[in-house]
Amino acid sequence: MRRILWFLYMLAVASGLPYPVSAQDVNGQGRQDSLRVAGTEADGFENPLFTSEDLLQLTLTLDFQELLKDRGEERGYHPAILSYRDAAGAEVALNLKVMVRGNHRRNPETCNFPPLLLNFSRKTTRNTVFEHVNKVKLVTHCLNESYIHREYLVYKLYNTLTEKSFRARLCRITYEDLHSKRKVETKYAFLIEDDKEMARRNHGEIVRKELVVGMEGTDEQAMATLAVFQYMIGNTDWSVPYRHNIKLLSLDSLAAPFPVPYDFDYSGIVAPPYAIPPAELGISSVRQRLYRGYDFPDQVYKEVVKTFAAHRPAIYNLYRNYPYLEKSEVKRTLSFLDEFYETMDDPKDFERRIVRVGQKNQKNYVVVKGLKE
């Protein structure tokens, strides 16, 4: 893995940028640890859990009173049972551990029902739909199921642009309290592909957060596409160097890594009531788009414009054909996308809203305070 460090060093030298190091590296210690990459064997494995488009019906049983009280920084796992019916109609029940996760959505003032982390034992999942899963994120209904569908579709949008993206699986989950102290409720949710599985599927590895990489150190075309995608959905809640809602996927230790986004609830296309943009950005609503990428060469921008134009029918059809959104929501979303494509189709507007803003960002990037994963 020394070649990754050497590549970043040479990149910094060639561009005149300061060489990125971790806090440990300043003292000349821990350099080998900072270079290690988290991943599994890069064999292109496809997890059946995320290749199916079928709605997954599940029942999750545990002590919800104890779980929902455990939202602090020092959270623990809670024993649970996850059950479903297989293709033959037989009930399958799995023992697992569940923990509350997330940052903003973990706060009870933000979400009545927080997102969860499901932790399976591989010894118990053999020959089940979760056979190839260890830990998996579950995005729950929070305040309203409508936002679940909106955010789920953002993952599907990015899937249409690139395989270097996180897959998601829509679920319908019945939550049963172990002691019957909480009313049974059934809500939509979705599972997110684990980062190591995403990397494995793409024959790559995840670059550890300790290795500091900025936008300029990533694959140029992929970074430009991601930045414009975030602009399309009205999302400013991301950062490459802080690894805030971004993972870096390395396919070759001598090549720049690919940025892969996740967590889109603060975007204008989802727009939950708690999504308020940081004051530093100077915008009043997440529905107000602001480009947060750097500047890129004309040819890179041309390829980005071509990519979004080519995928426009698929992007629109995701919403037109999705059965779980109200017609008014579909209409509002398509109108939001129309505004984006008006900019993409107008060279002058593209120059003003993206190119010039990217040039400004390159010179003086506004860093949002308190960024963390």
Side-chain angles (χ1 to χ4, degrees):
M1 295 302 166
R2 291 182 181 177
R3 288 181 294 176
I4 296 179
L5 185 60
W6 179 252
F7 167 78
L8 293 173
Y9 173 75
M10 293 303 294
L11 179 67
V13 171
S15 58
L17 296 167
Y19 176 57
V21 295
S22 69
Q24 283 184 310
D25 288 333
V26 172
N27 299 319
Q29 298 176 351
R31 179 162 294 178
Q32 291 305 314
D33 289 340
S34 72
L35 289 177
R36 292 199 182 100
V37 176
T40 56
E41 183 182 354
D43 57 5
F45 171 76
E46 296 274 352
N47 187 343
L49 177 63
F50 293 103
T51 55
S52 174
E53 295 291 335
D54 294 338
L55 181 67
L56 186 59
Q57 303 272 3
L58 303 168
T59 298
L60 183 62
T61 306
L62 73 154
D63 188 335
F64 277 100
Q65 187 173 3
E66 290 299 314
L67 175 76
L68 297 179
K69 289 192 302 184
D70 190 11
R71 301 197 192 197
E73 293 296 328
E74 301 296 328
R75 302 178 304 285
Y77 279 109
H78 299 260
I81 299 173
L82 189 67
S83 59
Y84 68 96
R85 294 196 176 276
D86 63 16
E91 185 177 43
V92 178
L94 300 170
N95 292 319
L96 73 158
K97 298 181 294 183
V98 177
M99 178 191 291
V100 172
R101 67 172 190 87
N103 291 319
H104 301 292
R105 286 184 272 195
R106 177 162 49 90
N107 188 334
E109 295 181 0
T110 300
C111 282
N112 296 327
F113 199 99
L116 304 174
L117 180 65
L118 310 184
N119 188 343
F120 296 90
S121 170
R122 293 192 186 275
K123 295 179 181 179
T124 64
T125 59
R126 191 171 301 162
N127 298 322
T128 74
V129 70
F130 295 98
E131 181 173 8
H132 302 289
V133 173
N134 182 13
K135 295 179 181 179
V136 63
K137 294 178 180 179
L138 178 69
V139 181
T140 61
H141 53 283
C142 182
L143 298 173
N144 187 310
E145 288 178 288
S146 172
Y147 304 117
I148 277 292
H149 298 301
R150 296 184 200 178
E151 188 176 4
Y152 168 74
L153 285 172
V154 179
Y155 282 89
K156 305 301 284 185
L157 284 181
Y158 202 63
N159 292 157
T160 66
L161 297 178
T162 175
E163 282 293 316
K164 300 176 184 67
S165 56
F166 286 101
R167 291 176 175 174
R169 177 74 181 272
L170 189 65
C171 306
R172 183 80 166 154
I173 302 182
T174 298
Y175 300 99
E176 292 185 351
D177 187 77
L178 188 63
H179 305 296
S180 301
K181 293 182 179 179
R182 182 182 174 90
K183 183 180 178 181
V184 175
E185 57 181 350
T186 301
K187 301 288 184 179
Y188 286 100
F190 64 88
L191 299 165
I192 303 175
E193 183 181 31
D194 181 72
D195 55 357
K196 294 180 182 178
E197 287 191 14
M198 182 275 293
R200 184 181 178 187
R201 171 169 56 80
N202 283 285
H203 305 273
E205 299 174 313
I206 298 298
V207 178
R208 286 196 182 278
K209 191 174 182 179
E210 292 86 350
L211 188 60
V212 181
V213 181
M215 270 190 276
E216 70 285 345
T218 62
D219 181 89
E220 194 172 55
Q221 195 67 56
M223 186 68 248
T225 302
L226 181 147
V228 173
F229 174 80
Q230 300 281 27
Y231 177 82
M232 178 181 79
I233 65 173
N235 189 27
T236 60
D237 188 33
W238 59 278
S239 169
V240 173
Y242 288 96
R243 300 291 210 284
H244 181 67
N245 296 336
I246 294 285
K247 296 290 183 181
L248 293 182
L249 173 65
S250 174
L251 305 186
D252 184 337
S253 60
L254 291 178
F258 292 78
V260 184
Y262 62 96
D263 273 13
F264 305 108
D265 60 314
Y266 265 66
S267 64
I269 206 167
V270 178
Y274 59 79
I276 300 173
E280 298 98 313
L281 299 182
I283 56 176
S284 58
S285 168
V286 290
R287 298 280 290 183
Q288 184 179 349
R289 289 186 173 93
L290 176 65
Y291 181 67
R292 293 284 285 154
Y294 280 173
D295 186 32
F296 296 95
D298 289 344
Q299 188 56 42
V300 171
Y301 279 133
K302 288 179 181 178
E303 289 300 318
V304 169
V305 171
K306 285 171 57 179
T307 294
F308 280 91
H311 289 89
R312 184 174 184 174
I315 289 172
Y316 277 64
N317 285 336
L318 270 175
Y319 289 90
R320 290 177 176 140
N321 299 329
Y322 189 71
Y324 305 114
L325 283 180
E326 298 290 337
K327 290 183 179 180
S328 59
E329 290 181 280
V330 174
K331 183 178 180 180
R332 182 171 60 249
T333 303
L334 294 183
S335 177
F336 189 63
L337 290 172
D338 284 342
E339 294 171 2
F340 165 75
Y341 275 102
E342 287 174 6
T343 295
M344 298 298 283
D345 294 341
D346 184 339
K348 291 184 178 180
D349 201 34
F350 187 88
E351 174 80 17
R352 180 169 64 91
R353 295 181 182 273
I354 293 180
V355 177
R356 291 180 187 174
V357 176
Q359 292 169 349
K360 182 180 177 182
N361 291 341
Q362 194 99 24
K363 295 177 182 178
N364 185 24
Y365 198 79
V366 177
V367 177
V368 176
K369 295 180 181 179
L371 281 182
K372 63 178 181 178
E373 187 173 19

